Amino acid sequence: MFSLRLSRKILAFALAVGFSLTVLSGCGVKAVAYDEYGYFGSLTRVVTYEELGEDKTKIKNVLNDVDGAISLSVEGSDVRAFNDAQPGETIEISRVGYEIFTLAMQAYALTDGAYNPAVGLLVDLWGFSPRFNDSDYAPVKPYDRERQSVPNAKYIEAFKKEEVTDFGEVKLLKEDSKYYVTKPNTSVEVDGVTYSMQIDLGGIGKGYAADKCAEIVDKRENYYVSVGASSLVLGANAKTPDGAPNEGSWKVTLASPRGESSYMSVFAKNVSASTSGDYERYFVQDGKRYSHIIDPSTGYPIDNGVATVSLFGATSAEGDTLTTALMVMGRNKAIDFIRNNLTGCKVAIATYEGEAGKVYTNMSDSDFELSSSFEIEKF
Ligand code: ADP
Ligand code: MG
């Protein structure tokens, strides 16, 4: 089960971070020691108030291990090995890969498949896997076409079938300190070509990495870790660098899904924060937005009015999967799910119903500040 760090409080006050992560210093906090690492096609930032020293190497090792487990563009990564395996084949993976697969399995079960890393074929079909970012992208797969356009329906139908999306059929095994995963012995066929399950851990890897980096620097308290623009771990921030008590929290600005730069800011400390949005990667065809978050039940990008979800309170790996899942669920199901399963987490769900933006949240007034024309509704 998910062990949520629910005792961690969200409180008010100073200092600023943002999910687009610009650090504005303030409130008596002195020099910021600041390290950046380029992984997962994004930037990991570890901000502390003292030099990282040996921890730098530890952080690099963690990021390297996660990359080696989840990266679709790193040859020999665990996920590549899984994707290249034959149906029914068992392959050896790394310990980190095993941990991430295990957490992904838990999230899949908890969210009833709204979070489902076995959407790999669909993500690739819709043009959101990393190969489409290459400047020399050229069509190679039978379903490839010009970059980012609505695919042929026969592939959507095939790639959403449970033969290639039932992540519950993936088997994990640990034996003699070695780790294994078995691909389900099923596949689908389109025009005589066979396709087996493809995994995409892009919706959990950065969150997992943020947790692990935070573990390394956590004893410092006065820190934050951000991985990409969507996973953030905020230190306790209980003391200023000279040891004086600091009642301040971080101010996390949540990026606006459209237009304005931020729609609300949240005051928080000693907590993980995750965000997911339809504005991060998408394309528009015939006036319609197609985002990188796929509804596994339809095979299409989500189309339910939810534009972004941010969650404070779970671990970063959990939050990463949950924000994606809540986007897939849509507003009403998401609110029920939060009430039933995530008591103690603070969540903001930004939606567009027509032109007007509306945010549904279970946060208290003192937890946040609205910085846009969004209407607010508490649940
Ligand atoms: P980001 O990677 O920008 O932080 P998310 O955490 O929301 O965004 O993850 C979205 C990524 O996860 C997509 O780019 C895709 O690779 C993958 N994905 C898309 N739909 C799903 C889904 N329903 N369940 C799990 N992973 C998904
Ligand atoms: Mg996510």
Side-chain angles (χ1 to χ4, degrees):
M1 266 315 281
F2 273 37
S3 54
L4 302 177
R5 294 197 251 148
L6 302 183
S7 56
R8 303 195 152 194
K9 280 194 188 146
I10 294 182
L11 294 171
F13 296 121
L15 227 116
V17 194
F19 257 119
S20 35
L21 288 168
T22 358
V23 187
L24 315 174
S25 51
C27 286
V29 178
K30 289 178 184 163
V32 179
Y34 197 116
D35 285 281
E36 289 184 334
Y37 311 80
Y39 281 91
F40 327 118
S42 56
L43 216 55
T44 292
R45 192 175 283 168
V46 179
V47 177
T48 57
Y49 299 89
E50 52 191 282
E51 290 305 322
L52 280 172
E54 287 172 10
D55 285 346
K56 252 186 210 181
T57 316
K58 290 188 194 161
I59 290 165
K60 254 188 208 153
N61 288 342
V62 160
L63 295 171
N64 219 45
D65 288 350
V66 177
D67 207 34
I70 68 154
S71 175
L72 288 165
S73 40
V74 169
E75 203 151 333
S77 69
D78 293 334
V79 87
R80 283 272 288 265
F82 181 96
N83 290 349
D84 292 344
Q86 296 300 315
E89 194 182 337
T90 298
I91 54 157
E92 191 180 341
I93 55 173
S94 66
R95 183 187 56 78
V96 168
Y98 180 86
E99 268 179 34
I100 297 173
F101 265 91
T102 304
L103 291 169
M105 195 71 81
Q106 289 167 359
Y108 173 75
L110 180 72
T111 63
D112 204 15
Y115 169 80
N116 182 2
V119 291
L121 281 170
L122 290 164
V123 170
D124 197 57
L125 174 66
W126 281 94
F128 292 114
S129 47
R131 66 190 177 96
F132 295 95
N133 300 331
D134 293 347
S135 52
D136 57 354
Y137 162 78
V140 285
K141 304 263 173 89
Y143 51 81
D144 278 350
R145 55 213 182 271
E146 64 183 273
R147 229 191 279 247
Q148 299 198 316
S149 55
V150 175
N152 187 315
K154 71 181 172 189
Y155 284 107
I156 301 173
E157 280 310 306
F159 292 175
K160 73 173 196 195
K161 288 214 163 93
E162 74 179 28
E163 285 84 345
V164 285
T165 58
D166 189 351
F167 192 61
E169 287 298 309
V170 171
K171 298 285 174 270
L172 292 165
L173 177 70
K174 182 182 166 193
E175 205 174 66
D176 301 332
S177 307
K178 289 190 170 181
Y179 305 89
Y180 304 91
V181 60
T182 304
K183 196 177 210 174
N185 195 11
T186 47
S187 56
V188 294
E189 200 183 291
V190 184
D191 297 338
V193 180
T194 302
Y195 299 89
S196 67
M197 182 182 286
Q198 303 289 297
I199 298 293
D200 183 331
L201 295 169
I204 188 169
K206 287 186 282 206
Y208 177 87
D211 284 328
K212 294 294 155 186
C213 291
E215 269 172 29
I216 296 168
V217 295
D218 192 56
K219 58 184 177 295
R220 290 174 168 82
E221 296 199 330
N222 216 338
Y223 74 90
Y224 76 77
V225 172
S226 71
V227 183
S230 58
S231 295
L232 192 61
V233 183
L234 303 167
N237 195 23
K239 291 187 171 114
T240 56
D242 48 20
N246 176 5
E247 74 283 23
S249 286
W250 308 91
K251 182 178 180 183
V252 181
T253 62
L254 307 184
S256 180
R258 316 276 183 272
E260 301 135 301
S261 65
S262 161
Y263 75 99
M264 74 190 259
S265 301
V266 179
F267 304 105
K269 63 178 182 177
N270 208 16
V271 77
S272 288
S274 303
T275 206
S276 183
D278 69 357
Y279 55 89
E280 293 172 56
R281 274 181 289 143
Y282 66 94
F283 65 87
V284 176
Q285 187 175 318
D286 300 328
K288 201 170 152 62
R289 173 185 288 252
Y290 297 91
S291 92
H292 67 136
I293 297 178
I294 308 288
D295 181 345
S297 69
T298 63
Y300 279 77
I302 54 163
D303 183 21
N304 57 26
V306 174
T308 178
V309 173
S310 294
L311 180 144
F312 292 70
T315 68
S316 222
E318 291 163 351
D320 201 355
T321 62
L322 288 168
T323 50
T324 306
L326 293 169
M327 296 220 30
V328 169
M329 288 176 200
R331 191 240 302 175
N332 289 336
K333 259 181 99 176
I335 290 173
D336 281 347
F337 183 86
I338 293 159
R339 285 198 175 119
N340 293 329
N341 300 286
L342 305 177
T343 43
C345 285
K346 306 283 189 174
V347 188
I349 304 170
T351 66
Y352 284 94
E353 288 149 23
E355 288 295 294
K358 193 162 173 179
V359 52
Y360 296 82
T361 187
N362 60 354
M363 294 186 205
S364 322
D365 284 342
S366 57
D367 293 334
F368 71 93
E369 196 175 83
L370 208 59
S371 49
S372 66
S373 55
F374 275 58
E375 198 187 316
I376 193 122
E377 190 169 317
K378 300 275 188 71
F379 66 84

PDB file of all heavy atoms in Angstrom, residues 213-243:
ATOM      1  N   CYS A 213      17.217  11.505  -4.239  1.00  0.00           N
ATOM      2  CA  CYS A 213      18.122  12.646  -4.043  1.00  0.00           C
ATOM      3  C   CYS A 213      17.826  13.338  -2.715  1.00  0.00           C
ATOM      4  O   CYS A 213      18.735  13.736  -1.991  1.00  0.00           O
ATOM      5  CB  CYS A 213      17.971  13.667  -5.173  1.00  0.00           C
ATOM      6  SG  CYS A 213      18.579  13.069  -6.746  1.00  0.00           S
ATOM      7  N   ALA A 214      16.541  13.451  -2.396  1.00  0.00           N
ATOM      8  CA  ALA A 214      16.165  14.109  -1.143  1.00  0.00           C
ATOM      9  C   ALA A 214      16.674  13.322   0.062  1.00  0.00           C
ATOM     10  O   ALA A 214      17.132  13.896   1.039  1.00  0.00           O
ATOM     11  CB  ALA A 214      14.649  14.286  -1.069  1.00  0.00           C
ATOM     12  N   GLU A 215      16.636  11.992  -0.041  1.00  0.00           N
ATOM     13  CA  GLU A 215      17.162  11.163   1.060  1.00  0.00           C
ATOM     14  C   GLU A 215      18.618  11.516   1.345  1.00  0.00           C
ATOM     15  O   GLU A 215      19.052  11.535   2.484  1.00  0.00           O
ATOM     16  CB  GLU A 215      17.099   9.680   0.680  1.00  0.00           C
ATOM     17  CG  GLU A 215      15.812   9.001   1.081  1.00  0.00           C
ATOM     18  CD  GLU A 215      15.707   7.587   0.515  1.00  0.00           C
ATOM     19  OE1 GLU A 215      16.759   6.932   0.312  1.00  0.00           O
ATOM     20  OE2 GLU A 215      14.558   7.152   0.254  1.00  0.00           O
ATOM     21  N   ILE A 216      19.355  11.798   0.290  1.00  0.00           N
ATOM     22  CA  ILE A 216      20.784  12.088   0.451  1.00  0.00           C
ATOM     23  C   ILE A 216      21.010  13.415   1.183  1.00  0.00           C
ATOM     24  O   ILE A 216      21.902  13.532   2.010  1.00  0.00           O
ATOM     25  CB  ILE A 216      21.491  12.089  -0.927  1.00  0.00           C
ATOM     26  CG1 ILE A 216      21.427  10.683  -1.537  1.00  0.00           C
ATOM     27  CG2 ILE A 216      22.935  12.567  -0.818  1.00  0.00           C
ATOM     28  CD1 ILE A 216      21.825  10.622  -3.002  1.00  0.00           C
ATOM     29  N   VAL A 217      20.190  14.401   0.892  1.00  0.00           N
ATOM     30  CA  VAL A 217      20.429  15.720   1.497  1.00  0.00           C
ATOM     31  C   VAL A 217      19.496  16.038   2.670  1.00  0.00           C
ATOM     32  O   VAL A 217      19.606  17.093   3.286  1.00  0.00           O
ATOM     33  CB  VAL A 217      20.328  16.854   0.438  1.00  0.00           C
ATOM     34  CG1 VAL A 217      21.430  16.709  -0.594  1.00  0.00           C
ATOM     35  CG2 VAL A 217      18.961  16.886  -0.231  1.00  0.00           C
ATOM     36  N   ASP A 218      18.608  15.114   2.996  1.00  0.00           N
ATOM     37  CA  ASP A 218      17.539  15.405   3.951  1.00  0.00           C
ATOM     38  C   ASP A 218      18.031  15.862   5.327  1.00  0.00           C
ATOM     39  O   ASP A 218      17.385  16.654   5.990  1.00  0.00           O
ATOM     40  CB  ASP A 218      16.624  14.179   4.106  1.00  0.00           C
ATOM     41  CG  ASP A 218      15.342  14.523   4.857  1.00  0.00           C
ATOM     42  OD1 ASP A 218      14.645  15.445   4.407  1.00  0.00           O
ATOM     43  OD2 ASP A 218      15.064  13.899   5.898  1.00  0.00           O
ATOM     44  N   LYS A 219      19.191  15.354   5.736  1.00  0.00           N
ATOM     45  CA  LYS A 219      19.673  15.729   7.072  1.00  0.00           C
ATOM     46  C   LYS A 219      19.945  17.227   7.177  1.00  0.00           C
ATOM     47  O   LYS A 219      19.984  17.798   8.256  1.00  0.00           O
ATOM     48  CB  LYS A 219      20.924  14.922   7.438  1.00  0.00           C
ATOM     49  CG  LYS A 219      22.071  15.073   6.462  1.00  0.00           C
ATOM     50  CD  LYS A 219      23.253  14.174   6.839  1.00  0.00           C
ATOM     51  CE  LYS A 219      24.395  14.253   5.832  1.00  0.00           C
ATOM     52  NZ  LYS A 219      24.015  13.736   4.487  1.00  0.00           N
ATOM     53  N   ARG A 220      20.118  17.867   6.017  1.00  0.00           N
ATOM     54  CA  ARG A 220      20.380  19.310   6.032  1.00  0.00           C
ATOM     55  C   ARG A 220      19.129  20.130   6.348  1.00  0.00           C
ATOM     56  O   ARG A 220      19.223  21.283   6.708  1.00  0.00           O
ATOM     57  CB  ARG A 220      20.907  19.758   4.677  1.00  0.00           C
ATOM     58  CG  ARG A 220      22.296  19.273   4.376  1.00  0.00           C
ATOM     59  CD  ARG A 220      22.656  19.657   2.952  1.00  0.00           C
ATOM     60  NE  ARG A 220      24.072  19.475   2.691  1.00  0.00           N
ATOM     61  CZ  ARG A 220      24.627  18.323   2.378  1.00  0.00           C
ATOM     62  NH1 ARG A 220      23.887  17.240   2.306  1.00  0.00           N
ATOM     63  NH2 ARG A 220      25.926  18.240   2.158  1.00  0.00           N
ATOM     64  N   GLU A 221      17.965  19.555   6.145  1.00  0.00           N
ATOM     65  CA  GLU A 221      16.671  20.208   6.391  1.00  0.00           C
ATOM     66  C   GLU A 221      16.388  21.396   5.482  1.00  0.00           C
ATOM     67  O   GLU A 221      15.324  21.519   4.927  1.00  0.00           O
ATOM     68  CB  GLU A 221      16.539  20.655   7.849  1.00  0.00           C
ATOM     69  CG  GLU A 221      16.546  19.495   8.824  1.00  0.00           C
ATOM     70  CD  GLU A 221      15.968  19.859  10.169  1.00  0.00           C
ATOM     71  OE1 GLU A 221      16.071  21.024  10.570  1.00  0.00           O
ATOM     72  OE2 GLU A 221      15.408  18.954  10.815  1.00  0.00           O
ATOM     73  N   ASN A 222      17.388  22.270   5.368  1.00  0.00           N
ATOM     74  CA  ASN A 222      17.153  23.489   4.607  1.00  0.00           C
ATOM     75  C   ASN A 222      17.536  23.272   3.143  1.00  0.00           C
ATOM     76  O   ASN A 222      18.635  23.623   2.722  1.00  0.00           O
ATOM     77  CB  ASN A 222      17.997  24.601   5.215  1.00  0.00           C
ATOM     78  CG  ASN A 222      17.271  25.910   5.157  1.00  0.00           C
ATOM     79  OD1 ASN A 222      16.364  26.084   4.349  1.00  0.00           O
ATOM     80  ND2 ASN A 222      17.661  26.829   6.006  1.00  0.00           N
ATOM     81  N   TYR A 223      16.648  22.671   2.392  1.00  0.00           N
ATOM     82  CA  TYR A 223      16.978  22.311   1.017  1.00  0.00           C
ATOM     83  C   TYR A 223      15.725  22.153   0.179  1.00  0.00           C
ATOM     84  O   TYR A 223      14.614  22.067   0.723  1.00  0.00           O
ATOM     85  CB  TYR A 223      17.741  20.968   0.994  1.00  0.00           C
ATOM     86  CG  TYR A 223      16.848  19.780   1.256  1.00  0.00           C
ATOM     87  CD1 TYR A 223      16.204  19.120   0.204  1.00  0.00           C
ATOM     88  CD2 TYR A 223      16.601  19.329   2.542  1.00  0.00           C
ATOM     89  CE1 TYR A 223      15.346  18.046   0.443  1.00  0.00           C
ATOM     90  CE2 TYR A 223      15.748  18.263   2.792  1.00  0.00           C
ATOM     91  CZ  TYR A 223      15.126  17.635   1.734  1.00  0.00           C
ATOM     92  OH  TYR A 223      14.268  16.588   1.964  1.00  0.00           O
ATOM     93  N   TYR A 224      15.874  22.127  -1.122  1.00  0.00           N
ATOM     94  CA  TYR A 224      14.842  21.521  -1.953  1.00  0.00           C
ATOM     95  C   TYR A 224      15.491  20.814  -3.125  1.00  0.00           C
ATOM     96  O   TYR A 224      16.621  21.120  -3.515  1.00  0.00           O
ATOM     97  CB  TYR A 224      13.762  22.508  -2.400  1.00  0.00           C
ATOM     98  CG  TYR A 224      14.140  23.467  -3.500  1.00  0.00           C
ATOM     99  CD1 TYR A 224      14.187  23.045  -4.835  1.00  0.00           C
ATOM    100  CD2 TYR A 224      14.394  24.800  -3.234  1.00  0.00           C
ATOM    101  CE1 TYR A 224      14.499  23.928  -5.859  1.00  0.00           C
ATOM    102  CE2 TYR A 224      14.710  25.683  -4.246  1.00  0.00           C
ATOM    103  CZ  TYR A 224      14.765  25.248  -5.563  1.00  0.00           C
ATOM    104  OH  TYR A 224      15.072  26.107  -6.564  1.00  0.00           O
ATOM    105  N   VAL A 225      14.788  19.829  -3.636  1.00  0.00           N
ATOM    106  CA  VAL A 225      15.234  19.074  -4.799  1.00  0.00           C
ATOM    107  C   VAL A 225      14.136  19.184  -5.846  1.00  0.00           C
ATOM    108  O   VAL A 225      12.960  18.989  -5.524  1.00  0.00           O
ATOM    109  CB  VAL A 225      15.419  17.571  -4.444  1.00  0.00           C
ATOM    110  CG1 VAL A 225      15.694  16.751  -5.701  1.00  0.00           C
ATOM    111  CG2 VAL A 225      16.535  17.388  -3.422  1.00  0.00           C
ATOM    112  N   SER A 226      14.512  19.507  -7.065  1.00  0.00           N
ATOM    113  CA  SER A 226      13.503  19.472  -8.125  1.00  0.00           C
ATOM    114  C   SER A 226      14.028  18.634  -9.271  1.00  0.00           C
ATOM    115  O   SER A 226      15.202  18.718  -9.631  1.00  0.00           O
ATOM    116  CB  SER A 226      13.162  20.877  -8.602  1.00  0.00           C
ATOM    117  OG  SER A 226      14.234  21.416  -9.330  1.00  0.00           O
ATOM    118  N   VAL A 227      13.186  17.792  -9.796  1.00  0.00           N
ATOM    119  CA  VAL A 227      13.553  16.980 -10.957  1.00  0.00           C
ATOM    120  C   VAL A 227      12.574  17.340 -12.068  1.00  0.00           C
ATOM    121  O   VAL A 227      11.374  17.132 -11.931  1.00  0.00           O
ATOM    122  CB  VAL A 227      13.518  15.477 -10.658  1.00  0.00           C
ATOM    123  CG1 VAL A 227      13.980  14.680 -11.873  1.00  0.00           C
ATOM    124  CG2 VAL A 227      14.392  15.137  -9.453  1.00  0.00           C
ATOM    125  N   GLY A 228      13.118  17.888 -13.140  1.00  0.00           N
ATOM    126  CA  GLY A 228      12.243  18.419 -14.173  1.00  0.00           C
ATOM    127  C   GLY A 228      11.411  19.542 -13.568  1.00  0.00           C
ATOM    128  O   GLY A 228      11.770  20.106 -12.529  1.00  0.00           O
ATOM    129  N   ALA A 229      10.308  19.848 -14.206  1.00  0.00           N
ATOM    130  CA  ALA A 229       9.454  20.904 -13.664  1.00  0.00           C
ATOM    131  C   ALA A 229       8.295  20.300 -12.893  1.00  0.00           C
ATOM    132  O   ALA A 229       7.352  20.985 -12.542  1.00  0.00           O
ATOM    133  CB  ALA A 229       8.932  21.773 -14.801  1.00  0.00           C
ATOM    134  N   SER A 230       8.368  18.990 -12.620  1.00  0.00           N
ATOM    135  CA  SER A 230       7.157  18.367 -12.097  1.00  0.00           C
ATOM    136  C   SER A 230       7.314  17.593 -10.796  1.00  0.00           C
ATOM    137  O   SER A 230       6.323  17.178 -10.220  1.00  0.00           O
ATOM    138  CB  SER A 230       6.555  17.443 -13.161  1.00  0.00           C
ATOM    139  OG  SER A 230       7.480  16.469 -13.534  1.00  0.00           O
ATOM    140  N   SER A 231       8.539  17.399 -10.330  1.00  0.00           N
ATOM    141  CA  SER A 231       8.722  16.700  -9.045  1.00  0.00           C
ATOM    142  C   SER A 231       9.599  17.546  -8.145  1.00  0.00           C
ATOM    143  O   SER A 231      10.676  17.979  -8.542  1.00  0.00           O
ATOM    144  CB  SER A 231       9.399  15.337  -9.255  1.00  0.00           C
ATOM    145  OG  SER A 231       8.559  14.492  -9.992  1.00  0.00           O
ATOM    146  N   LEU A 232       9.112  17.718  -6.938  1.00  0.00           N
ATOM    147  CA  LEU A 232       9.765  18.638  -6.011  1.00  0.00           C
ATOM    148  C   LEU A 232       9.725  18.028  -4.620  1.00  0.00           C
ATOM    149  O   LEU A 232       8.695  17.527  -4.202  1.00  0.00           O
ATOM    150  CB  LEU A 232       8.938  19.923  -6.048  1.00  0.00           C
ATOM    151  CG  LEU A 232       9.414  21.203  -5.443  1.00  0.00           C
ATOM    152  CD1 LEU A 232      10.709  21.652  -6.106  1.00  0.00           C
ATOM    153  CD2 LEU A 232       8.343  22.277  -5.665  1.00  0.00           C
ATOM    154  N   VAL A 233      10.869  18.058  -3.921  1.00  0.00           N
ATOM    155  CA  VAL A 233      10.843  17.689  -2.507  1.00  0.00           C
ATOM    156  C   VAL A 233      11.344  18.887  -1.718  1.00  0.00           C
ATOM    157  O   VAL A 233      12.428  19.410  -2.000  1.00  0.00           O
ATOM    158  CB  VAL A 233      11.726  16.457  -2.200  1.00  0.00           C
ATOM    159  CG1 VAL A 233      11.587  16.073  -0.725  1.00  0.00           C
ATOM    160  CG2 VAL A 233      11.331  15.272  -3.072  1.00  0.00           C
ATOM    161  N   LEU A 234      10.554  19.331  -0.769  1.00  0.00           N
ATOM    162  CA  LEU A 234      10.891  20.513   0.010  1.00  0.00           C
ATOM    163  C   LEU A 234      11.383  20.100   1.380  1.00  0.00           C
ATOM    164  O   LEU A 234      10.708  19.344   2.086  1.00  0.00           O
ATOM    165  CB  LEU A 234       9.650  21.392   0.173  1.00  0.00           C
ATOM    166  CG  LEU A 234       8.982  21.846  -1.126  1.00  0.00           C
ATOM    167  CD1 LEU A 234       7.616  22.424  -0.843  1.00  0.00           C
ATOM    168  CD2 LEU A 234       9.864  22.852  -1.840  1.00  0.00           C
ATOM    169  N   GLY A 235      12.538  20.604   1.756  1.00  0.00           N
ATOM    170  CA  GLY A 235      13.083  20.291   3.068  1.00  0.00           C
ATOM    171  C   GLY A 235      12.280  20.951   4.175  1.00  0.00           C
ATOM    172  O   GLY A 235      11.388  21.764   3.934  1.00  0.00           O
ATOM    173  N   ALA A 236      12.632  20.570   5.391  1.00  0.00           N
ATOM    174  CA  ALA A 236      11.903  21.077   6.545  1.00  0.00           C
ATOM    175  C   ALA A 236      12.094  22.575   6.710  1.00  0.00           C
ATOM    176  O   ALA A 236      11.237  23.264   7.230  1.00  0.00           O
ATOM    177  CB  ALA A 236      12.362  20.355   7.801  1.00  0.00           C
ATOM    178  N   ASN A 237      13.219  23.070   6.220  1.00  0.00           N
ATOM    179  CA  ASN A 237      13.482  24.501   6.243  1.00  0.00           C
ATOM    180  C   ASN A 237      13.307  25.074   7.645  1.00  0.00           C
ATOM    181  O   ASN A 237      12.830  26.185   7.819  1.00  0.00           O
ATOM    182  CB  ASN A 237      12.517  25.208   5.284  1.00  0.00           C
ATOM    183  CG  ASN A 237      12.947  26.633   4.984  1.00  0.00           C
ATOM    184  OD1 ASN A 237      14.114  26.972   5.111  1.00  0.00           O
ATOM    185  ND2 ASN A 237      12.004  27.453   4.600  1.00  0.00           N
ATOM    186  N   ALA A 238      13.653  24.258   8.623  1.00  0.00           N
ATOM    187  CA  ALA A 238      13.369  24.666   9.996  1.00  0.00           C
ATOM    188  C   ALA A 238      14.372  25.686  10.527  1.00  0.00           C
ATOM    189  O   ALA A 238      14.094  26.385  11.488  1.00  0.00           O
ATOM    190  CB  ALA A 238      13.342  23.450  10.903  1.00  0.00           C
ATOM    191  N   LYS A 239      15.523  25.756   9.914  1.00  0.00           N
ATOM    192  CA  LYS A 239      16.552  26.666  10.431  1.00  0.00           C
ATOM    193  C   LYS A 239      17.160  27.490   9.313  1.00  0.00           C
ATOM    194  O   LYS A 239      17.292  27.006   8.194  1.00  0.00           O
ATOM    195  CB  LYS A 239      17.682  25.861  11.079  1.00  0.00           C
ATOM    196  CG  LYS A 239      17.299  25.182  12.348  1.00  0.00           C
ATOM    197  CD  LYS A 239      18.540  24.568  12.978  1.00  0.00           C
ATOM    198  CE  LYS A 239      18.223  24.072  14.374  1.00  0.00           C
ATOM    199  NZ  LYS A 239      18.304  22.632  14.501  1.00  0.00           N
ATOM    200  N   THR A 240      17.554  28.679   9.621  1.00  0.00           N
ATOM    201  CA  THR A 240      18.346  29.453   8.670  1.00  0.00           C
ATOM    202  C   THR A 240      19.783  28.934   8.742  1.00  0.00           C
ATOM    203  O   THR A 240      20.137  28.232   9.692  1.00  0.00           O
ATOM    204  CB  THR A 240      18.323  30.948   9.000  1.00  0.00           C
ATOM    205  OG1 THR A 240      18.784  31.100  10.327  1.00  0.00           O
ATOM    206  CG2 THR A 240      16.921  31.510   8.875  1.00  0.00           C
ATOM    207  N   PRO A 241      20.640  29.276   7.777  1.00  0.00           N
ATOM    208  CA  PRO A 241      21.989  28.720   7.774  1.00  0.00           C
ATOM    209  C   PRO A 241      22.772  29.021   9.050  1.00  0.00           C
ATOM    210  O   PRO A 241      23.634  28.263   9.445  1.00  0.00           O
ATOM    211  CB  PRO A 241      22.632  29.384   6.566  1.00  0.00           C
ATOM    212  CG  PRO A 241      21.486  29.692   5.673  1.00  0.00           C
ATOM    213  CD  PRO A 241      20.357  30.059   6.577  1.00  0.00           C
ATOM    214  N   ASP A 242      22.490  30.126   9.725  1.00  0.00           N
ATOM    215  CA  ASP A 242      23.239  30.409  10.960  1.00  0.00           C
ATOM    216  C   ASP A 242      22.565  29.803  12.189  1.00  0.00           C
ATOM    217  O   ASP A 242      22.946  30.080  13.318  1.00  0.00           O
ATOM    218  CB  ASP A 242      23.452  31.917  11.127  1.00  0.00           C
ATOM    219  CG  ASP A 242      22.162  32.695  10.918  1.00  0.00           C
ATOM    220  OD1 ASP A 242      21.074  32.076  11.030  1.00  0.00           O
ATOM    221  OD2 ASP A 242      22.237  33.905  10.648  1.00  0.00           O
ATOM    222  N   GLY A 243      21.569  28.958  11.961  1.00  0.00           N
ATOM    223  CA  GLY A 243      21.018  28.199  13.081  1.00  0.00           C
ATOM    224  C   GLY A 243      19.793  28.811  13.725  1.00  0.00           C
ATOM    225  O   GLY A 243      19.151  28.189  14.557  1.00  0.00           O
TER     226      GLY A 243
END
